[in-house]
C-alpha cells in the first residue's frame, strides 16, 4: 500500500535532500528559517493554485518533501498554520482580494499565523464560542473575548478568529471567520501557558476591542461555521506522514532504551514494543489509503484517534522500559535548573494531552458515530 515513486519523484527527493543538508540546522531562528524556505520556494507546494510566489507539485512529491523534512531534523516549522490551514481555506472560500493580500506573504515566510478557535468554555465544542465581533461606526469589527490553547500566538503576526457576529445567536449560527492582526497593543494580550513539561507551546489570547476589517471576513458574515469546518478538513493530510516519521524515530529511541535497561527481556514489554511498531505501520497504510480522497467525513477523526492514543501509549512505554530511573531528572537539582526533563520524560508528559487537543477522543467518536455510521445525534442537553 505504499506509493510507487517515479524516477521524477526520486530526482525531486535528491533535490530536497541536498537542499536540506545544506541549509537545515537544528535550533535555527524559526522566523528566519521560514523566510529561507519561502525564498527557495518550499512553502505552498500543496496548494492547488500557483502564482502567489509558491510552486506546486503533485501529491507524491508533497509526500517526498514532508518525509525528507522530517528525516532531516530541521527546525520545527512555525509557518505551518498559515501554509496548511489558512491558505487552503482562503483558496476554497476567500475572495480574490484576500488571496492576493495574504497568500504571497505566507509563501514568502513573511507572515506567521495562529488559530483562534478554542475557548475556556468551548474547547472541543467549537459551536459554543462566545468571543464577539461587533460592527463599529466606521464599518470595522471590534473583537472581544478569550481564546485558549492558541499555538504560536506569541510569534504570530495574524490570527484567524471564529467569533459571534450576530448578537444573541446560538451554537453554529451567527458565527464569522475573521482575519485579525496581532500587533494591537492594549487590544490583544498574549499570555503563555506553562505546561507539565515546563515549556510554553500554547497561549491564552485576550481580545479587548481588537480591530478587524470588514473585507477580512472570509466567506461572508455569518458563514463562519461552514468556513471553520472546511478548515478542519485540511488539518490532516500529507503532514500526517511526516508526523509518523517522527513517531518512528521516537519508537526507535524507546526500543534502544529497553535494550539498555534489560526491559526487553520481559515478554510483556516485548509484546508492547511489537504492538507499537505494528500499529504505526497500520497508521501509515491508513494515511496512504485516505490521502487525496476528499469527502471522507470520518477519515480525519479516525486518524486522530489512531495517532493520539498510540503516541500516549508510547510515552507510557518510554517510562516503563526505564524503570525507577524514569523518575530521576537528567541533572542534579539547582536553583538555576529546578525542573529539567530528558527527552523521554518530555515525551511522556506532553503526550498526556494527545487525546484531548485537536478534538478529544470523545468528540472524534461522536463525529464517526453521527457522520459516518448514521447513528442518532446526541440529544440536546445530554451530559
Amino acid at each position: 500500500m505504499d506509493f510507487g515513486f517515479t524516477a521524477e519523484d526520486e530526482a525531486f527527493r535528491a533535490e530536497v535532500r541536498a537542499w536540506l543538508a545544506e541549509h537545515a540546522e537544528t535550533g535555527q531562528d524559526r522566523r528566519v528559517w521560514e523566510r529561507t524556505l519561502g525564498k527557495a520556494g518550499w512553502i505552498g507546494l500543496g496548494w492547488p493554485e500557483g502564482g502567489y510566489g509558491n510552486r506546486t507539485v503533485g501529491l507524491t512529491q508533497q509526500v517526498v518533501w514532508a518525509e525528507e523534512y522530517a528525516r532531516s531534523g530541521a527546525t520545527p516549522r512555525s509557518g505551518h498554520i498559515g501554509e496548511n490551514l489558512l491558505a487552503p481555506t482562503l483558496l476554497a472560500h476567500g475572495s480574490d482580494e484576500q488571496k492576493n493580500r495574504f497568500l504571497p506573504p505566507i509563501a514568502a515566510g513573511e507572515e506567521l499565523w495562529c488559530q483562534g478557535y478554542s475557548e475556556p468554555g468551548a474547547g472541543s465544542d467549537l459551536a459554543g464560542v462566545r468571543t464577539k465581533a461587533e460592527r463599529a461606526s466606521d464599518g470595522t469589527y471590534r473583537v472581544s473575548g478569550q481564546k485558549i490553547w492558541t499555538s504560536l500566538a506569541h510569534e504570530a503576526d495574524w490570527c484567524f478568529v471564529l467569533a459571534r457576529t450576530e448578537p444573541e445567536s446560538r451554537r453554529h449560527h451567527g458565527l464569522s471567520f475573521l482575519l485579525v492582526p496581532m500587533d494591537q497593543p492594549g487590544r490583544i494580550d498574549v499570555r503563555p501557558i506553562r505546561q507539565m513539561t515546563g515549556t510554553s507551546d500554547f497561549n491564552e489570547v485576550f481580545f479587548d476591542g481588537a480591530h478587524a476589517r470588514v473585507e477580512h471576513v472570509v466567506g461572508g458574515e455569518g458563514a463562519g461555521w461552514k468556513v471553520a469546518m472546511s478548515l478542519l478538513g485540511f488539518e490532516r493530510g500529507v503532514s500526517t506522514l511526516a508526523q509518523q516519521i517522527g513517531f518512528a524515530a521516537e519508537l526507535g529511541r524507546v526500543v534502544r532504551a529497553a535494550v539498555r535497561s534489560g526491559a526487553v527481556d520481559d515478554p510483556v514489554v516485548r509484546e508492547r514494543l511489537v504492538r507499537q511498531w505494528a500499529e504505526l505501520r497500520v497508521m501509515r497504510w491508513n494515511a496512504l489509503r485516505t490521502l487525496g480522497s476528499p469527502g471522507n467525513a470520518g477519515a480525519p477523526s479516525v486518524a486522530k484517534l489512531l495517532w493520539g492514543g498510540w503516541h500516549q501509549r508510547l510515552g507510557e512505554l518510554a517510562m516503563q522500559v526505564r524503570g525507577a530511573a524514569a523518575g530521576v531528572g537528567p541533572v542534579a537539582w539547582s536553583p538555576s535548573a529546578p525542573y529539567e526533563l530528558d527527552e523521554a520524560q518530555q515525551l511522556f508528559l506532553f503526550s498526556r494531552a494527545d487525546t484531548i487537543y485537536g478534538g478529544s477522543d470523545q468528540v472524534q467518536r461522536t463525529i464517526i458515530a453521527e457522520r459516518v455510521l448514521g447513528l442518532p445525534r446526541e440529544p440536546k442537553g445530554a451530559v
Side-chain angles (χ1 to χ4, degrees):
M1 296 183 70
D2 257 339
F3 277 121
F5 292 109
T6 66
E8 183 181 0
D9 294 334
E10 294 303 334
F12 181 73
R13 185 186 301 277
E15 177 190 356
V16 169
R17 189 173 293 177
W19 189 89
L20 287 170
E22 180 180 353
H23 294 87
E25 298 175 13
T26 302
Q28 282 180 293
D29 179 274
R30 303 213 302 185
R31 186 174 285 272
V32 172
W33 177 234
E34 288 297 320
R35 291 170 179 164
T36 302
L37 291 169
K39 187 176 180 180
W42 296 119
I43 299 177
L45 298 178
W47 300 355
E49 299 177 24
Y52 299 106
N54 65 307
R55 59 172 169 171
T56 60
V57 299
L59 188 59
T60 54
Q61 292 186 6
Q62 293 172 44
V63 172
V64 166
W65 165 256
E67 290 183 338
E68 291 303 319
Y69 192 94
R71 290 191 181 105
S72 73
T75 297
R77 295 286 309 280
S78 57
H80 65 280
I81 294 175
E83 177 186 7
N84 299 320
L85 297 184
L86 179 66
T89 303
L90 288 179
L91 289 166
H93 301 283
S95 65
D96 289 340
E97 291 76 11
Q98 290 169 347
K99 295 176 189 178
N100 291 328
R101 163 59 186 86
F102 293 108
L103 294 182
I106 294 174
E110 295 288 345
E111 291 183 347
L112 303 181
W113 287 79
C114 60
Q115 179 178 6
Y117 272 22
S118 295
E119 298 182 5
S124 294
D125 182 18
L126 191 57
V129 299
R130 292 180 293 180
T131 295
K132 297 180 180 180
E134 300 176 337
R135 288 286 286 268
S137 58
D138 61 1
T140 62
Y141 289 95
R142 298 292 185 268
V143 182
S144 297
Q146 178 186 359
K147 298 294 182 178
I148 198 166
W149 309 122
T150 311
S151 301
L152 303 176
H154 58 296
E155 299 181 16
D157 304 294
W158 289 80
C159 182
F160 49 88
V161 177
L162 189 64
R164 204 163 288 283
T165 50
E166 182 180 324
E168 309 305 323
S169 62
R170 295 177 57 82
R171 304 301 297 164
H172 58 276
H173 301 288
L175 298 171
S176 295
F177 189 100
L178 297 92
L179 310 180
V180 182
M182 292 292 287
D183 186 14
Q184 299 192 49
R187 296 191 180 100
I188 298 180
D189 182 20
V190 178
R191 303 179 190 175
I193 299 172
R194 186 174 173 86
Q195 300 153 224
M196 288 193 296
T197 56
T199 57
S200 300
D201 302 289
F202 306 112
N203 304 269
E204 292 180 285
V205 182
F206 295 86
F207 298 93
D208 185 10
H211 293 188
R213 295 165 61 175
V214 172
E215 58 267 34
H216 292 167
V217 176
V218 179
E221 187 174 295
W225 184 254
K226 175 183 177 181
V227 176
M229 292 300 99
S230 177
L231 181 143
L232 292 178
F234 298 125
E235 199 164 12
R236 322 203 207 285
V238 170
S239 59
T240 302
L241 295 169
Q243 178 191 53
Q244 291 167 11
I245 290 174
F247 287 170
E250 290 177 334
L251 176 59
R253 289 192 287 270
V254 172
V255 171
R256 290 190 291 273
V259 172
R260 288 194 301 270
S261 69
V264 73
D265 296 329
D266 183 335
V268 175
V269 171
R270 287 203 305 273
E271 190 274 338
R272 289 191 66 186
L273 290 169
V274 172
R275 181 177 292 273
Q276 289 292 128
W277 176 86
E279 290 177 351
L280 184 58
R281 297 301 299 172
V282 169
M283 282 194 284
R284 177 174 175 80
W285 291 332
N286 181 67
L288 292 172
R289 179 181 64 85
T290 59
L291 202 59
S293 302
N296 188 336
S301 294
V302 170
K304 178 60 168 60
L305 281 172
L306 287 174
W307 75 254
W310 183 93
H311 201 225
Q312 196 170 85
R313 292 190 295 276
L314 182 67
E316 295 166 355
L317 189 54
M319 296 294 98
Q320 181 182 358
V321 302
R322 294 175 60 187
V328 180
V331 297
W333 184 93
S334 71
S336 61
Y339 191 66
E340 296 297 313
L341 301 172
D342 61 29
E343 200 168 44
Q345 292 164 336
Q346 290 267 357
L347 167 63
F348 170 69
L349 290 175
F350 189 85
S351 64
R352 306 317 298 164
D354 284 340
T355 53
I356 301 174
Y357 71 79
S360 69
D361 279 11
Q362 292 84 352
V363 167
Q364 305 304 339
R365 291 190 176 99
T366 297
I367 291 172
I368 294 170
E370 296 178 357
R371 301 183 189 176
V372 180
L373 302 179
L375 297 179
R377 298 181 66 84
E378 289 188 6
K380 293 183 179 180
V383 177

